[in-house]
């Protein structure tokens, strides 16, 4: 139904596995006990939190931390009020108890999902968490050291506790607007900035803080008004850091994302320079060949082992994440890098939540996370501010377009704000000058087969396979948005657009069968759709045949995600509209029309049905070839049969399942369906062409 909406990335929420009930949680605990783990039941562990012995309290927190990584165990702990039991432990007299308690709550929030995080906030986890974070921040600069510990030991313990607490804060802020409001009102911005300031000494803590800050600064005008020049200076110092490790590359990328979120608060005198620095960081991140880097890191690991420099593997620590030295997340698609042991059940695989187990995997993970984050930032740069990112993207129907409203942040505390139009022009120029379209296109390629084979052969490296595919999908979404908002000439003109078409054709059709992974299908159909739109508008020939596109759309039609099916329908609508203007295309139009009719009749969603009908209106609106094809597939009687069914379904499901904006578009489709049937009836009276 018109031009596709550019994609904007929101961080995905964790989703608890609902297949297991409360009994499954108890059974999981029993299973752990049967396998020889020295764990008590959930009730016993929570009772141990009240022990006068700090060692027992630490043991209980660590045991809970490990158990809640099995999602089927979580309900049994929630029934026993685990959040209220662990909350006070964040302020325990023992630093070890504080760290393990924060780790347990962190794992609970990561593996429990949106509802658990929201419930944690409702149970007032923010009160002790805020107190702990402020105490940690004060401890960074404190000269008072307990006599039992050296100054360095005390500092490190404070930072370890802060890292767990920051990750917990990040998780709940991702899931709860109430937590974000508390973050703003309690002045936690200063706490997070104090963690970022330690990037030279503790990059792990700084990365955790940067992830958290990127989350809370997104679409948060309340926080924007509380921003101080010193906060911007901290971010600038991080962006200007020169360390060459992949972790520091990730940190700079995250800082660039924070600055982009805060762009409206930048002084106009320095905004252009700052945003130019943001773009350079993103460009530098995408320049790295991840496949080659992974192979080099694997060789580095092999040399280290051969030279006997590998440190003896330590027993698994009770404290979450301690055995790895890395606790930061990757920021994406199905979750963050969380600490702890994997759940071996295939239905509850949280292997991607695990931190890397050696330095080389840690660096490779940081590189892929930096590239994924860079692509997501560019996706959002090339995205219009729609009322809702989750709405049906087809708000622009045949008679209704440009319904999306611009949103803007007001000036805060007298800070001068650069106009969005000027900002857009600068970003556009930076994208072109830094060759970012070419770099993004390069990342849309399938991951290096050599790197994939290397990672698949080694269990410790296997988690990188999923991350490499995530980078590819983010790049395809990025290409989709660039095609949606940039002029064809800016992308290289006709030759470049045809080259992109060849590239996407190779991605989709060079395999023995079309890949059916949901995320890949959504990403590639979005990119193909945007490309076909721009090529059709300029009458540029493209290399994908209708038969190939129907094959892609047949795969997409089996996807449970409505957005994938909508993309597929739009692809055929664009292709059919182009063919209808050409000669001797009736056979191809018949194939497209038959497919669209099938979708309009069988798609489970009114959104899919409406999109298919709108595509039929466009394809068969005019032309001798279209008339001939319409008669052959009996389009008129098919639409007459569908019309009352569509109306009835709208009356039955409309207001219950769809938003007002979606209903507005569907009403428009209903009106156009009546008009189109009348048009076909008029054609029916004419002699066959």
């Amino acid at each position: 139904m018109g031009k596709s909406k550019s994609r904007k990335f929101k961080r995905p929420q964790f989703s608890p596995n609902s297949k297991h009930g409360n009994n499954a949680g108890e059974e999981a605990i029993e299973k752990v006990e049967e396998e020889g783990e020295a764990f008590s039941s959930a009730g016993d562990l929570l009772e141990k939190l009240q022990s006068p012995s700090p060692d027992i309290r630490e043991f209980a927190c660590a045991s809970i931390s490990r158990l809640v990584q099995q999602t089927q165990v979580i309900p049994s702990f929630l029934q026993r009020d685990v959040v209220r039991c662990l909350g006070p432990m964040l302020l325990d007299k023992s630093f070890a108890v504080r760290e393990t308690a924060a780790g347990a709550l962190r794992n609970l929030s990561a593996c429990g999902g949106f509802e658990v995080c929201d419930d944690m906030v409702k149970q007032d986890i923010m009160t002790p968490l805020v107190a702990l974070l402020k105490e940690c921040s004060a401890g960074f600069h404190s000269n008072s050291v307990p006599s039992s510990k050296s100054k360095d030991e005390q500092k490190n313990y404070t930072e370890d506790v802060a890292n767990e607490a920051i990750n917990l804060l990040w998780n709940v802020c991702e899931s709860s607007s109430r937590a974000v409001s508390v973050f703003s009102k309690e002045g936690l911005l200063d706490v997070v900035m104090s963690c970022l300031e330690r990037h030279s000494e503790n990059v792990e803590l700084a990365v955790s803080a940067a992830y958290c800050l990127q989350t809370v600064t997104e679409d948060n005008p309340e926080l924007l008004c509380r921003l101080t020049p010193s906060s911007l200076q901290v971010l600038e110092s991080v962006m200007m850091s020169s360390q060459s490790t992949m972790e520091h590359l990730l940190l700079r990328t995250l800082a660039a994302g924070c600055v982009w979120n805060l762009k409206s608060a930048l002084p106009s005198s320095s905004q252009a320079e700052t945003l130019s620095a943001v773009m350079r960081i993103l460009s530098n991140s995408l320049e790295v060949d991840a496949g080659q880097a992974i192979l080099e890191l694997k060789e580095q690991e092999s040399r280290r082992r051969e030279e006997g420099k590998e440190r003896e593997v330590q027993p698994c620590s009770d404290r979450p994440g301690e055995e790895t030295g890395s606790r930061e997340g990757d920021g994406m698609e199905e979750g963050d890098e969380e600490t702890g042991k994997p759940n071996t059940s295939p239905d509850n695989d949280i292997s991607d939540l695990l931190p890397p187990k050696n330095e080389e995997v840690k660096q490779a993970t940081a590189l892929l996370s930096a590239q994924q984050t860079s692509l997501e930032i560019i996706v959002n740069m090339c995205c219009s501010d729609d009322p809702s990112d989750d709405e049906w993207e087809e708000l622009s129907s045949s008679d209704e377009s440009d319904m999306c409203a611009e949103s803007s942040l007001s000036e805060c505390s007298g800070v001068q704000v650069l106009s969005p139009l000027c900002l857009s022009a600068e970003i556009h120029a930076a994208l072109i000058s830094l060759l970012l379209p070419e770099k993004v296109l390069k990342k849309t390629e399938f991951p290096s087969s050599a790197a994939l084979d290397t990672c698949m052969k080694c269990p410790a490296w296997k988690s990188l396979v999923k991350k490499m595919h995530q980078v590819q999908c983010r790049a395809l979404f990025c290409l989709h948005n660039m095609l949606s908002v940039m002029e064809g000439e800016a992308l290289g003109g006709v030759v470049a657009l045809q080259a992109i078409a060849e590239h996407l054709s190779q991605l989709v059709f060079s395999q023995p069968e079309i890949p059916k992974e949901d995320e890949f299908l959504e990403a590639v159909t979005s990119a193909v759709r945007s490309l076909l739109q721009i090529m059709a508008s300029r009458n540029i020939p493209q290399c994908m045949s209708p038969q190939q596109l129907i094959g892609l759309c047949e795969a997409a039609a089996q996807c449970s995600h409505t957005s994938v099916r909508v993309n597929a329908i739009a692809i055929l609508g664009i292709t059919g509209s182009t063919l209808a203007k050409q000669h001797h295309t009736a056979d191809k139009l018949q194939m497209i029309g038959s497919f669209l009719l099938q979708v309009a009749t069988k798609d489970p969603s009114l959104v899919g049905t409406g999109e298919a009908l709108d595509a039929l209106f466009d394809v068969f609106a005019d032309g001798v070839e279209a008339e001939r094809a319409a008669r052959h597939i009996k389009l008129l009687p098919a639409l007459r049969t569908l019309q009352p069914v569509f109306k009835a379904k709208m009356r039955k499901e409309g207001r219950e399942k769809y938003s007002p904006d979606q209903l507005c578009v569907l009403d428009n489709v209903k009106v156009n369906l009546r008009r189109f049937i009348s048009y076909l009836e008029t054609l029916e009276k004419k002699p066959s062409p």
Side-chain angles (χ1 to χ4, degrees):
M1 290 188 209
K3 188 175 181 181
S4 64
K5 186 194 74 173
S6 52
R7 169 70 177 261
K8 185 173 182 180
F9 264 100
K10 293 284 190 179
R11 301 179 62 81
Q13 307 292 346
F14 289 96
S15 297
N17 191 327
S18 59
K19 295 180 181 179
H20 303 281
N22 297 334
N23 293 336
E26 297 291 355
E27 291 168 3
I29 295 176
E30 292 174 5
K31 181 178 179 182
V32 171
E33 292 173 341
E34 290 171 2
E35 291 174 351
E37 296 279 6
F39 289 127
S40 305
S41 67
D44 290 342
L45 288 174
L46 294 176
E47 286 182 11
K48 285 182 171 64
L49 294 177
Q50 307 305 316
S51 171
S53 168
D55 289 339
I56 293 178
R57 296 197 301 275
E58 181 185 359
F59 166 79
C61 290
S63 300
I64 294 169
S65 178
R66 297 173 71 176
L67 278 172
V68 296
Q69 290 168 69
Q70 301 179 79
T71 54
Q72 67 268 35
V73 171
I74 291 175
S76 65
F77 278 99
L78 295 178
Q79 284 182 343
R80 293 167 173 82
D81 222 5
V82 63
V83 176
R84 294 190 188 279
C85 293
L86 282 173
M89 299 295 102
L90 294 176
L91 300 174
D92 195 275
K93 294 180 181 180
S94 165
F95 274 86
V97 173
R98 291 184 181 195
E99 183 182 4
T100 49
L105 287 164
R106 172 188 176 182
N107 286 350
L108 179 65
S109 64
C111 301
F114 173 85
E115 291 183 0
V116 170
C117 287
D118 195 51
D119 192 53
M120 291 172 74
V121 175
K122 290 178 181 176
Q123 294 188 46
D124 199 28
I125 194 61
M126 295 299 291
T127 296
L129 180 57
V130 168
L132 173 62
L133 286 165
K134 289 183 176 180
E135 190 173 322
C136 287
S137 180
F140 293 156
H141 310 289
S142 174
N143 292 321
S144 60
V145 182
S147 57
S148 61
K149 294 183 181 291
S150 70
K151 184 174 181 180
D152 287 341
E153 287 175 329
Q154 173 67 13
K155 178 192 69 173
N156 291 338
Y157 231 129
T158 300
E159 291 180 353
D160 289 344
V161 173
N163 188 55
E164 294 294 343
I166 285 289
N167 276 277
L168 171 58
L169 178 66
W170 170 25
N171 288 347
V172 295
C173 285
E174 278 186 331
S175 303
S176 169
S177 58
R178 186 184 302 182
V180 174
S181 179
V182 171
F183 181 101
S184 301
K185 292 177 181 177
E186 291 290 341
L188 291 183
L189 178 63
D190 294 336
V191 175
V192 173
M193 288 298 175
S194 68
C195 295
L196 271 176
E197 284 181 308
R198 309 191 72 75
H199 64 90
S200 298
E201 300 87 10
N202 192 333
V203 65
E204 179 186 340
L205 174 62
V207 166
S208 298
Y211 269 124
C212 183
L213 186 62
Q214 190 185 31
T215 294
V216 298
T217 53
E218 186 172 7
D219 300 326
N220 188 356
E222 182 181 5
L223 183 64
L224 193 68
C225 293
R226 297 173 185 269
L227 198 66
T228 62
S230 62
S231 298
L232 293 174
Q233 289 171 4
V234 171
L235 287 170
E236 182 179 353
S237 70
V238 173
M239 290 171 59
M240 298 295 291
S241 63
S242 58
Q243 291 92 331
S244 60
T245 69
M246 297 304 179
E247 284 184 294
H248 282 90
L249 176 64
L250 171 60
L251 178 61
R252 288 191 290 271
T253 303
L254 291 168
C258 295
V259 170
W260 173 256
N261 289 344
L262 299 169
K263 60 187 177 295
S264 296
L266 297 174
S268 58
S269 58
S270 62
Q271 190 177 53
E273 181 181 356
T274 302
L275 292 179
S276 177
V278 167
M279 302 302 293
R280 285 196 301 273
I281 289 172
L282 303 182
S283 177
N284 292 339
S285 172
L286 295 177
E287 278 180 354
V288 182
D289 184 335
Q292 184 61 36
I294 287 171
L295 293 175
E296 292 173 358
L297 286 166
K298 191 68 177 72
E299 291 177 4
Q300 181 178 318
E301 180 197 51
S302 299
R303 288 196 302 270
R304 177 168 56 82
R305 292 180 183 276
E306 290 172 1
E307 293 168 1
K309 294 181 179 180
E310 175 79 354
R311 289 183 298 175
E312 183 179 352
V313 177
Q314 299 295 322
C316 184
S317 169
D318 282 340
R319 290 181 192 152
E322 189 173 280
E323 71 275 13
T324 67
S326 175
R327 302 184 184 93
E328 85 273 1
D330 68 1
M332 274 314 10
E333 238 316 308
E334 295 299 322
D336 312 313
E337 290 292 339
E338 289 301 331
T339 59
K341 292 169 58 180
N343 183 352
T344 56
S345 168
D347 289 336
N348 299 286
D349 181 19
I350 59 167
S351 60
D352 60 321
L353 305 181
L354 296 175
K357 294 183 179 297
N358 62 39
E359 184 62 29
E360 290 79 17
V361 177
K362 182 179 177 182
Q363 295 300 320
T365 300
L367 169 60
L368 293 173
S369 298
Q371 294 190 339
Q372 181 173 325
T373 301
S374 296
L375 291 164
E376 289 170 358
I377 294 169
I378 298 172
V379 165
N380 292 346
M381 285 179 173
C382 299
C383 180
S384 60
D385 293 324
D386 284 325
S388 169
D389 296 315
D390 300 320
E391 293 291 350
W392 182 14
E393 60 185 41
E394 300 317 311
L395 294 184
S396 53
S397 184
S398 302
D399 296 336
E400 297 176 13
S401 59
D402 302 324
M403 296 177 65
C404 300
E406 292 280 344
S407 63
S408 61
L409 295 171
S410 59
E411 290 190 15
C412 300
S413 306
V415 177
Q416 291 180 317
V417 180
L418 201 62
S419 72
L421 189 60
C422 178
L423 176 63
S424 177
E426 289 188 357
I427 295 301
H428 185 276
L431 288 170
I432 301 303
S433 65
L434 293 170
L435 304 178
L436 279 165
E438 290 90 338
K439 293 174 183 177
V440 168
L441 187 64
K442 182 69 175 175
K443 295 300 177 188
T444 65
E445 297 175 357
F446 282 112
S448 159
S449 57
L452 288 175
D453 290 343
T454 297
C455 292
M456 289 300 294
K457 291 176 182 176
C458 183
W461 291 71
K462 192 173 290 187
S463 63
L464 298 180
V465 172
K466 181 177 181 179
K467 296 181 185 300
M468 284 188 272
H469 285 295
Q470 286 176 331
V471 169
Q472 181 195 25
C473 289
R474 295 303 187 276
L476 285 166
F477 281 124
C478 197
L479 177 62
H480 157 63
N481 276 22
M482 284 182 167
L483 289 166
S484 298
V485 301
M486 297 176 71
E487 294 293 334
E489 292 304 323
L491 294 168
V494 173
V495 174
L497 291 172
Q498 289 178 324
I500 294 173
E502 289 280 359
H503 172 70
L504 292 178
S505 178
Q506 283 292 314
L507 277 183
V508 178
F509 305 118
S510 63
Q511 306 294 313
E513 62 179 29
I514 295 173
K516 293 182 173 58
E517 293 82 4
D518 287 353
E519 186 177 20
F520 177 80
L521 275 177
E522 182 177 10
V524 78
T525 55
S526 295
V528 170
R529 175 181 180 177
S530 292
L531 178 65
L532 292 182
Q533 282 175 336
I534 193 171
M535 295 183 80
S537 68
R538 301 183 60 184
N539 295 318
I540 300 173
Q542 55 88 17
C543 60
M544 288 175 268
S545 70
Q547 291 86 347
Q548 287 179 318
L549 292 174
I550 286 178
L552 172 61
C553 294
E554 285 175 345
Q558 305 304 313
C559 182
S560 60
H561 295 293
T562 303
S563 58
V564 177
R565 304 198 303 274
V566 165
N567 281 339
I569 296 164
I571 286 169
L572 287 186
I574 296 165
T575 304
S577 298
T578 302
L579 291 172
K581 301 172 185 176
Q582 301 172 6
H583 298 295
H584 311 299
T585 57
D587 290 344
K588 296 175 182 178
L589 290 173
Q590 288 172 27
M591 287 191 303
I592 291 174
S594 297
F595 182 87
L596 292 174
L597 267 179
Q598 183 179 9
V599 173
T601 304
K602 297 182 178 180
D603 195 278
S605 168
L606 276 173
V607 169
T609 300
E611 181 71 28
L613 286 171
D614 212 46
L616 286 167
F617 304 157
D618 291 338
V619 172
F620 295 97
D622 191 23
V624 174
E625 299 296 324
E627 289 182 33
R628 187 176 291 123
R631 291 177 187 272
H632 190 274
I633 64 173
K634 298 180 172 56
L635 181 60
L636 178 57
L639 292 181
R640 282 173 175 164
T641 302
L642 180 59
Q643 184 180 32
V645 177
F646 181 66
K647 289 181 178 179
K649 197 171 182 180
M650 279 191 63
R651 285 194 299 268
K652 183 179 179 181
E653 301 179 4
R655 298 189 182 280
E656 296 179 2
K657 294 185 178 181
Y658 302 98
S659 69
D661 286 328
Q662 291 173 330
L663 288 175
C664 182
V665 178
L666 289 169
D667 280 333
N668 191 48
V669 172
K670 182 174 66 174
V671 171
N672 286 342
L673 175 58
R674 186 183 67 247
R675 294 173 178 171
F676 191 68
I677 289 174
S678 298
Y679 164 73
L680 291 178
E681 288 172 342
T682 302
L683 293 180
E684 190 80 5
K685 298 174 184 177
K686 294 171 53 179
S688 298

